[in-house]
Amino acid sequence: MPNLPSLGLRNRNGRGPRSVSHTPAPVSTYVVDCAIYVDGHRVEGSWNHVDAIEEVRRRGSGFVWIGLHEPTEEQINGIADTFGLHELAVEDAVHAHQRPKLERYDNTLFMVLKTVRYTDTETRSATSEIVDTGELMVFLGRDFVITVRHGKHAGLGDVRSQLETDPEQLALGPSAVLHGVADHVVDTYLEVTEAIQDDIDEIEAEVFEPRTKIDAEQIYLMKREVMELRRAVLPLHKPMQRLAEGYTPMVADEVRSYFRNVEDHLAKVAEMVGSFDELLTTLVDATLAKITLQQNTDMRKISAWVAIVSTPTMIAGIYGMNFKHMPELDWTFGYPLALMVMLGACIVLFKIFRRNKWL
């Protein structure tokens, strides 16, 4: 794969001009940003991945941060060769669909995180997903960090901007970027769980509200989305714990305490997600019980009306058998009397069923 073009270079080291020329050209769409950071400050200029790492290693300080969005295998191969990324990690970064994990390949750390986004109720349909998921991979080396994002949400532009406003934090090295990315992802978990909490509260109020129609499909949909969120949150606990405990020397000692804070937030999310799952299971049981009760009530009403209607039908059926010797056939008031008996029987049955709350 050819080197990514740069847009030009001015005063890279901040101590005077350097005679390196770059031809202005548009950066490829899958490269979101490529920057050099020295002492917590972004070095001026536009870079491709080859020139950036060469500059960092020439200086002997700083690191490169490259952001990629859904690169193909062909597109990422050049970067992988330049930075010495392991082929298995590269394959995972290209094809995605990985569980959250943390792996170490020689001098490179590879981390996978699941990103989530809450879909607003006004924009989603009855069958659409409530929680939209994506993936974020991070390659961490001694003097570089590469982020690979899959999905249309969870961009890292805000993370980069926030870190650039805090040079002291960014000066801690690539592991500070890894912490910033992890902290951002876990913060989105908190936002999504709070939004789901509101939805579950509404469903709970609807389930236990008397004489309301319940949409059981919505509860099953919510339970499915909570399970999707759970698959993103729970596997991430162990990687965060390992980073906080000094799993690798590539994570600066000063950054480990920050990972402990992220781990605490993640534990809070995991606890909320677990409670959501239990509550939704209870709501499913309550919904099924309520639906059964409603069906029983409907069946009692139907049975009561059938009994009321069958009484005059029975009387009319008896007198419709055309026998010659039947009571009151030749009586003048026989017909009105039969009608009154039918009506009276219906009224009596109606009052009995109403008193027993069948109607």
Side-chain angles (χ1 to χ4, degrees):
M1 185 188 74
N3 294 339
L4 301 178
S6 298
L7 301 179
L9 174 67
R10 296 196 314 269
N11 194 22
R12 287 186 174 180
N13 54 21
R15 296 184 297 235
R18 181 168 174 254
S19 59
V20 179
S21 61
H22 294 276
T23 303
V27 177
S28 179
T29 55
Y30 70 93
V31 179
V32 180
D33 200 355
C34 178
I36 297 174
Y37 297 92
V38 178
D39 296 330
H41 297 278
R42 180 167 180 155
V43 176
E44 189 177 343
S46 298
W47 310 81
N48 62 40
H49 61 278
V50 175
D51 290 342
I53 194 63
E54 287 180 352
E55 177 67 14
V56 166
R57 290 172 181 173
R58 184 191 67 83
R59 290 170 176 261
S61 63
F63 66 93
V64 179
W65 181 2
I66 301 176
L68 307 178
H69 181 238
E70 298 184 350
T72 63
E73 186 174 353
E74 181 181 359
Q75 292 168 340
I76 202 174
N77 277 341
I79 295 178
D81 292 340
T82 300
F83 292 91
L85 307 181
H86 197 279
E87 59 182 2
L88 294 178
V90 172
E91 182 179 357
D92 289 345
V94 171
H95 298 290
H97 304 295
Q98 304 294 318
R99 284 171 53 87
K101 61 182 180 180
L102 178 66
E103 296 178 344
R104 184 166 54 191
Y105 297 96
D106 298 329
N107 297 322
T108 303
L109 203 63
F110 178 65
M111 188 171 188
V112 178
L113 304 99
K114 285 279 189 180
T115 58
V116 297
R117 179 185 62 177
Y118 177 80
T119 305
D120 188 27
T121 54
E122 297 180 356
T123 59
R124 65 173 182 249
S125 62
T127 58
S128 64
E129 293 184 346
I130 299 173
V131 178
D132 188 16
T133 60
E135 290 186 36
L136 186 61
M137 291 82 169
V138 182
F139 294 91
L140 183 71
R142 180 182 59 82
D143 51 11
F144 68 88
V145 57
I146 301 172
T147 55
V148 183
R149 180 168 57 92
H150 289 265
K152 298 180 180 180
H153 64 280
L156 298 178
D158 293 340
V159 177
R160 189 185 288 265
S161 299
Q162 183 177 357
L163 286 173
E164 288 178 352
T165 59
D166 188 3
E168 184 177 352
Q169 179 73 10
L170 201 56
L172 297 176
S175 58
V177 176
L178 179 61
H179 163 262
V181 171
D183 186 53
H184 171 71
V185 171
V186 174
D187 283 346
T188 59
Y189 291 167
L190 285 170
E191 295 172 2
V192 170
T193 52
E194 290 173 358
I196 290 179
Q197 177 72 69
D198 294 338
D199 286 346
I200 294 178
D201 289 343
E202 292 180 4
I203 293 175
E204 184 180 11
E206 182 180 354
V207 168
F208 293 106
E209 180 72 20
R211 297 180 296 277
T212 56
K213 293 184 178 180
I214 305 172
D215 185 6
E217 293 183 358
Q218 184 65 23
I219 300 178
Y220 283 115
L221 176 62
M222 181 66 71
K223 188 172 178 63
R224 185 192 69 186
E225 296 303 308
V226 168
M227 291 300 295
E228 185 72 20
L229 181 60
R230 187 173 187 173
R231 284 192 289 268
V233 173
L234 294 188
L236 192 58
H237 175 72
K238 188 173 182 179
M240 287 299 172
Q241 187 178 33
R242 293 164 71 185
L243 289 172
E245 293 176 351
Y247 167 70
T248 172
M250 285 184 286
V251 176
D253 294 337
E254 298 87 344
V255 181
R256 291 176 188 171
S257 58
Y258 295 107
F259 278 112
R260 293 190 188 97
N261 183 58
V262 177
E263 183 185 0
D264 291 340
H265 291 170
L266 187 66
K268 178 182 178 181
V269 174
E271 183 179 351
M272 294 177 66
V273 171
S275 65
F276 291 164
D277 188 42
E278 294 177 0
L279 179 57
L280 287 172
T281 299
T282 302
L283 291 179
V284 169
D285 295 338
T287 299
L288 294 178
K290 192 171 184 179
I291 291 175
T292 302
L293 180 62
Q294 289 176 345
Q295 291 175 342
N296 291 338
T297 301
D298 293 340
M299 288 300 299
R300 287 192 300 179
K301 289 181 179 179
I302 294 172
S303 300
W305 285 114
V306 168
I308 292 172
V309 172
S310 64
T311 299
T313 303
M314 180 187 66
I315 297 174
I318 291 174
Y319 278 89
M321 291 188 292
N322 298 322
F323 291 108
K324 289 183 178 181
H325 302 287
M326 296 185 70
E328 316 303 340
L329 285 180
D330 296 329
W331 186 38
T332 303
F333 298 103
Y335 178 68
L337 178 63
L339 293 178
M340 292 179 64
V341 170
M342 293 180 187
L343 179 61
C346 290
I347 292 175
V348 170
L349 288 174
F350 179 82
K351 289 184 176 180
I352 291 173
F353 289 134
R354 174 61 64 88
R355 184 174 65 249
N356 293 331
K357 297 181 179 181
W358 280 43
L359 292 175

